[in-house]
Amino acid sequence: PFDVLIVGGGPAGAAAAVYAARKGIRTGIASERFGGQTLDTLGIENFVSVKETEGPKFALALEEHVRHYDVDVMNLQRAKALKAGSELIEVELENGATLKSRTVILSTGARWRKLGVPGEEEYRNKGVAYCPHCDGPLFKGKRVAVIGGGNSGVEAAIDLAGLVAHVTLIEFGTALRADQVLQDKLASLPNVRTILNAQTTEMTGDGQKINGLSYTDRASGASEHIELEGVFVQIGLVPNTEWLKGALELSRHGEIIVDARGQTSLPGVFAAGDATTVPFKQIIIAAGDGAKAALGAFDHLMRH
Ligand code: FAD
């Protein structure tokens, strides 16, 4: 069995693997796609000490760093169940194998919920974005729309209003769902327009870049079009934790509930990164969190 088995090979899992391996304990990392969300990222400019890099390059560097140590790297492996035995914790893989370990670190990350309209996939990273902290500065002085009137959408609109020329906030329902303080702040901004009761139907472009967005006014049924240079889709970040339901405590959003050391509700099972309740989903935060969970697991091993 492993001393530490990590499930998920994004920034959180990779950092956990490096920290665990450097303690000289038996470390394994199983992941579906090593690199995680960073594989889908164009430019990364906010991982401090790396002024500028590209996602796939960053993902490769994560894997190289992990392989520099004595770590059992199991790529293209999807976990489907977690079972806590009396002594060892078992992780069942989709290929039928079962991995056993004294401690487990869950770092299966999350995915942005997509709208699923024509143009969204085609113009992803060509004007269609999901992370205002990451991509906001690319739209300096331009016109953007934010889709989604919950807390994350309204926060994104307020954040972007300070950077871009104009923000159109589009909400499907007849009212915003964000906290009132955020709504008040939004209403005070001169360069934000809110459109309620609007169903986004398409992102339009010239084949290279996005140039607009179409929506249906749900009250009148009329089809409208807005010209813009960017769209931020903010309709939810979904943690990859469906396979853990019933095995340990999840928040109502499906995030793994962790304490300050990354310990979950199951003794010996730790979690890190976007899959957890830790706020602000960013690479540097996930990586720090992975390091923390590995040290938490090591501490647990010393005491058991
Ligand atoms: P992830 O990166 O999501 O990795 C999860 C890992 O778990 C993957 O290896 C996945 O294959 C694996 N996995 C999932 N389910 C299973 C399973 N059942 N079994 C086995 N393995 C599984 N952040 C920044 O700081 N700066 C940026 O510029 C930036 N830009 C972004 C751009 C885009 C388009 C996106 C989508 C995100 C961006 N982010 C950015 C956010 C950042 O990528 C995430 O916060 C970070 O990758 C989270 O790391 P993680 O390790 O927690 O999860």
Side-chain angles (χ1 to χ4, degrees):
F2 293 105
D3 290 315
V4 178
L5 171 64
I6 299 152
V7 185
V18 168
Y19 267 74
R22 286 170 59 83
K23 293 293 185 192
I25 54 182
R26 281 160 302 174
T27 305
I29 180 166
S31 75
E32 206 178 350
R33 245 175 25 127
F34 206 104
Q37 291 169 71
T38 66
L39 285 174
D40 307 323
T41 303
L42 208 55
I44 300 170
E45 302 183 355
N46 55 5
F47 193 86
V48 69
S49 84
V50 182
K51 231 187 313 170
E52 206 178 345
T53 187
E54 284 145 26
K57 212 166 127 190
F58 186 88
L60 199 67
L62 285 178
E63 187 164 350
E64 270 172 13
H65 197 172
V66 169
R67 287 189 185 274
H68 176 67
Y69 293 97
D70 188 13
V71 175
D72 190 348
V73 179
M74 296 160 276
N75 282 346
L76 309 175
Q77 297 301 333
R78 190 177 163 85
K80 67 168 186 191
L82 176 86
K83 285 186 197 124
S86 53
E87 200 67 359
L88 294 172
I89 302 150
E90 296 186 355
V91 173
E92 224 176 279
L93 301 179
E94 220 129 76
N95 72 4
T98 297
L99 304 172
K100 295 187 174 136
S101 185
R102 293 172 68 202
T103 64
V104 167
I105 297 174
L106 302 168
S107 49
T108 47
R111 55 191 191 270
W112 295 95
R113 184 170 281 140
K114 308 256 161 75
L115 264 180
V117 299
E120 181 178 21
E121 204 49 48
E122 185 180 354
Y123 295 112
R124 189 171 98 194
N125 288 334
K126 295 170 184 164
V128 178
Y130 296 84
C131 176
H133 306 306
C134 313
D135 297 337
L138 303 176
F139 297 92
K140 198 169 171 198
K142 301 194 167 145
R143 297 164 300 178
V144 304
V146 172
I147 299 178
N151 278 338
S152 51
V154 173
E155 279 168 11
I158 296 169
D159 174 3
L160 291 165
L163 280 171
V164 305
H166 188 266
V167 181
T168 307
L169 178 70
I170 298 183
E171 161 61 34
F172 182 82
T174 51
L176 297 179
R177 288 163 290 116
D179 298 341
Q180 195 57 45
V181 283
L182 293 172
Q183 293 195 35
D184 294 346
K185 172 78 187 181
L186 186 78
S188 75
L189 299 172
N191 60 338
V192 179
R193 175 185 170 211
T194 298
I195 303 177
L196 299 174
N197 213 6
Q199 175 165 16
T200 305
T201 52
E202 186 179 2
M203 308 205 181
T204 59
D206 61 6
Q208 301 293 315
K209 280 194 312 251
I210 195 169
N211 62 18
L213 169 161
S214 302
Y215 67 91
T216 304
D217 179 329
R218 296 175 62 223
S220 69
S223 184
E224 309 282 350
H225 187 259
I226 313 172
E227 284 178 22
L228 43 68
E229 286 77 41
V231 174
F232 284 82
V233 180
Q234 296 288 299
I235 55 173
L237 188 68
V238 191
N240 299 318
T241 56
E242 289 86 352
W243 64 288
L244 293 167
K245 266 183 201 141
L248 42 68
E249 237 178 280
L250 303 176
S251 74
R252 69 188 172 89
H253 302 296
E255 297 165 327
I256 304 166
I257 297 176
V258 288
D259 71 9
R261 294 169 160 249
Q263 170 73 57
T264 70
S265 62
L266 267 184
V269 179
F270 294 77
D274 281 16
T276 71
T277 45
V278 169
F280 310 123
K281 313 305 193 198
Q282 293 283 284
I283 297 168
I284 200 160
I285 293 172
D289 222 34
K292 206 196 318 168
L295 296 177
F298 183 67
D299 193 52
H300 178 91
L301 287 168
M302 280 199 294
R303 288 158 201 275
H304 288 82

